[in-house]
Amino acid sequence: MDDTDDIVAVGFGPANLALAIAVHEHNAAAAPGRRLRAAFLERQPRFGWHRGMLLADATMQISFLKDLATLRNPASRFTFLTYLHQRSRLVDFINHKTLFPTRLEFHDYLEWAAAEFTGQVAYGTTVTGVRPVVDGERVVALDVVADGPAGETVRRARNVVIGTGIEPVLPPGVTRSARVWHSSELLGNLAGPEGRAAARFAVIGAGQSSAEVTAYLHQQVPDAQVHAVFSRFGYSPADDTPFANGVFDPAAVDEFFVAPESVKEKFRYYHGNTNYSVVDIELIEDLYRRVYRERVAGRPRLHLHHLSQVARVDERDRSVVLQVRAMAEETVHELEADVVVYATGYRPMQPGAVLGEAAELCKRAGSGQFRIERDYRITTGDNVHCGIYLQGGTEHSHGLSSSLLSTSAVRAGEIVDSVAAGRKERAGVRS
Ligand code: FAD
């Protein structure tokens, strides 16, 4: 028995869940000798997609048709439509007339799909490094080292697919505490003692998460005073008009990939407002309506501090005091809150940290980032006879959809095709 997996995937978020589905469907169609064996290692104790931000009413920012499978295989049994059918909600969803289900419903869909792969996923298992397995000059496999319920484990793989997602970012000098939170931990912390007792919130940032958190706290915490602090003049709308939305099409990946660096930069500059530091227009309008209504009633609870920056944060025994610099007036005022929520975004995953020793095998571009092939495989030397693939962390090579869901079905299929082709090649070499 060969104990080497064809694929060991790190992380089991939507990206690697889409991969599990693509492998499953490949195997269903492949001859016995061509099937791929895949294992998935996930640090969370069970499947979860940004649980801390599963806010009631928050909706998806992509069409449900960009689910885990449809764009690759509309006949897949893992589509959102099949999920709805199995949950006996297909007709009700149609009557709903929306392309954008709530995140809660999409999470339920993802969990429903993930449940099919329970036997292939080691939950509660954090990958700590990847070691090359060497035979003479050749690197023939990769050992994926992880900490899990049974202590340290090692799984040998012909290919490693890293899909460790995005990582929360706080401004320099800010550290999390019982009263200083990142938006990613909102719901968990709200249920904790400081969260339950809080009546004054400051929310920092002007992107989608910040607007969602502001609206949620204002609506859900009775009588709470909510202060939104951001350096923009107003929230800026996300461009989700149809032509611009094309930047998330699978075909846009092809165009982006071959484009010279100067064009890639323009791409990002022109269309960053499809995703970064922007807010759904309906949510902007909703927040405006709330502020206006409270002004009419003369009882403001929602306060917008625009053109403002947090210059300093001091934690006291029972509160946090922010020094807020009003950029236009060049003045500083104090804002006392029970809790500060930093909705200051995320950075793409850092595959180098997960790869550890194996990072040495990977070639880098002039920018210092990994060089990635069109099939999402990191470029390695000729002596490396195994593959390291990235699902995410490829915005510099494959474009704006890298850390999003839009192309996850198609990308997973491309990776499976590449792995299967590599397997065939090796089999040819052996025979
Ligand atoms: P993730 O979902 O982050 O999954 C990565 C997984 O890897 C996690 O489960 C993590 O626990 C695991 N992991 C990390 N490190 C290790 C390790 N060392 N060992 C083992 N496991 C590890 N994008 C859209 O396209 N549409 C949306 O509507 C949308 N909504 C969003 C809403 C919120 C609140 C946020 C924060 C992001 C949203 N995004 C959205 C962007 C988001 O990046 C994608 O939805 C999606 O999470 C990407 O899937 P992923 O599998 O690449 O990453």
Side-chain angles (χ1 to χ4, degrees):
M1 279 288 284
D2 182 358
D3 65 355
T4 307
D5 290 313
D6 293 296
I7 297 173
V8 170
V10 185
F12 196 59
N16 276 336
L17 173 54
L19 183 74
I21 294 169
V23 170
H24 175 83
E25 292 178 358
H26 165 88
N27 287 348
R34 298 269 182 255
R35 291 185 188 144
L36 301 174
R37 199 174 72 199
F40 300 83
L41 309 177
E42 166 56 51
R43 73 179 170 197
Q44 296 188 83
R46 64 195 162 119
F47 182 85
W49 177 63
H50 305 299
R51 279 182 189 274
M53 283 289 287
L54 285 181
L55 311 178
D57 297 339
T59 55
M60 295 299 295
Q61 270 149 344
I62 49 159
S63 159
F64 71 85
L65 291 167
K66 292 184 171 179
D67 60 21
L68 296 164
T70 300
L71 285 185
R72 178 182 52 77
N73 174 19
S76 167
R77 74 178 176 87
F78 291 96
T79 64
F80 189 76
L81 288 178
T82 307
Y83 153 81
L84 287 173
H85 184 250
Q86 287 201 4
R87 290 278 197 261
S88 307
R89 281 203 307 271
L90 185 51
V91 145
D92 306 296
F93 186 82
I94 294 169
N95 290 339
H96 207 15
K97 290 192 187 158
T98 184
L99 289 172
F100 306 101
T102 62
R103 280 214 293 273
L104 276 164
E105 185 172 29
F106 205 76
H107 190 274
D108 189 51
Y109 157 66
L110 295 172
E111 274 188 313
W112 165 85
E116 292 289 317
F117 300 96
T118 306
Q120 283 170 259
V121 187
Y123 285 105
T125 302
T126 302
V127 172
T128 53
V130 180
R131 291 195 299 248
V133 180
V134 178
D135 177 8
E137 295 285 289
R138 291 155 37 104
V139 177
V140 291
L142 297 162
D143 276 346
V144 181
V145 185
D147 276 335
E152 188 175 280
T153 55
V154 177
R155 277 199 90 110
R156 188 155 289 185
R158 279 183 268 278
N159 300 279
V160 170
V161 181
I162 303 182
T164 48
I166 47 179
E167 298 168 358
V169 170
L170 288 169
V174 175
T175 39
R176 296 180 195 206
S177 73
R179 294 186 185 279
V180 178
W181 309 346
H182 185 270
S183 53
S184 56
E185 50 197 357
L186 181 79
L187 290 182
N189 285 359
L190 260 185
E194 279 77 12
R196 285 200 307 271
R200 295 168 300 171
F201 294 90
V203 183
I204 319 300
Q208 179 70 22
S209 287
S210 122
E212 285 183 5
V213 170
T214 301
Y216 182 82
L217 294 171
H218 181 249
Q219 190 166 325
Q220 301 287 331
V221 184
D223 301 326
Q225 295 289 322
V226 181
H227 296 263
V229 182
F230 49 83
S231 52
R232 290 186 177 236
F233 190 88
Y235 294 108
S236 300
D239 182 356
D240 67 347
T241 52
F243 291 117
N245 211 39
V247 295
F248 302 119
D249 291 354
V253 175
D254 292 321
E255 281 183 86
F256 189 91
F257 186 77
V258 297
E261 199 45 50
S262 58
V263 177
K264 286 188 162 92
E265 260 169 45
K266 284 201 173 80
F267 223 109
R268 289 189 285 258
Y269 174 73
Y270 292 144
H271 297 296
N273 69 343
T274 50
N275 185 43
Y276 290 114
S277 304
V278 288
V279 181
D280 282 349
I281 201 154
E282 294 80 11
L283 181 52
I284 298 176
E285 287 167 352
D286 173 35
L287 286 170
Y288 191 87
R289 268 193 300 274
R290 297 184 196 201
V291 171
Y292 188 81
R293 271 201 304 261
E294 290 182 350
R295 282 193 66 192
V296 173
R299 286 191 304 278
R301 284 203 301 120
L302 178 51
H303 312 272
L304 265 52
H305 304 253
H306 73 172
L307 290 176
S308 295
Q309 289 174 328
V310 177
R312 202 179 143 155
V313 187
D314 290 313
E315 249 191 282
R316 309 238 166 109
D317 275 355
R318 292 173 176 276
S319 68
V320 186
V321 176
L322 308 178
Q323 304 293 328
V324 178
R325 194 165 71 85
M327 289 155 62
E329 295 88 349
E330 293 190 311
T331 54
V332 176
H333 65 272
E334 268 192 5
L335 177 61
E336 189 168 9
D338 303 312
V339 159
V340 184
V341 185
Y342 277 91
T344 39
Y346 297 79
R347 62 175 179 164
M349 66 181 192
Q350 309 292 307
V354 168
L355 281 171
E357 272 179 58
E360 300 294 315
L361 307 174
C362 304
K363 302 210 166 169
R364 291 184 188 262
S367 60
Q369 288 161 303
F370 289 125
R371 265 172 52 192
I372 324 279
E373 310 291 328
R374 175 62 187 83
D375 59 2
Y376 300 95
R377 183 177 165 146
I378 302 182
T379 311
T380 50
D382 293 340
N383 64 325
V384 179
H385 296 265
C386 41
I388 301 170
Y389 293 83
L390 298 186
Q391 297 231 63
T394 58
E395 200 168 296
H396 60 292
S397 53
H398 290 65
L400 283 164
S401 56
S402 165
S403 64
L404 304 175
L405 300 172
S406 322
T407 56
S408 45
V410 172
R411 180 177 61 190
E414 289 171 343
I415 292 174
V416 169
D417 288 348
S418 172
V419 168
R423 195 174 200 276
K424 211 163 151 191
E425 218 170 81
R426 270 193 305 276
V429 171
R430 273 205 296 271
S431 61

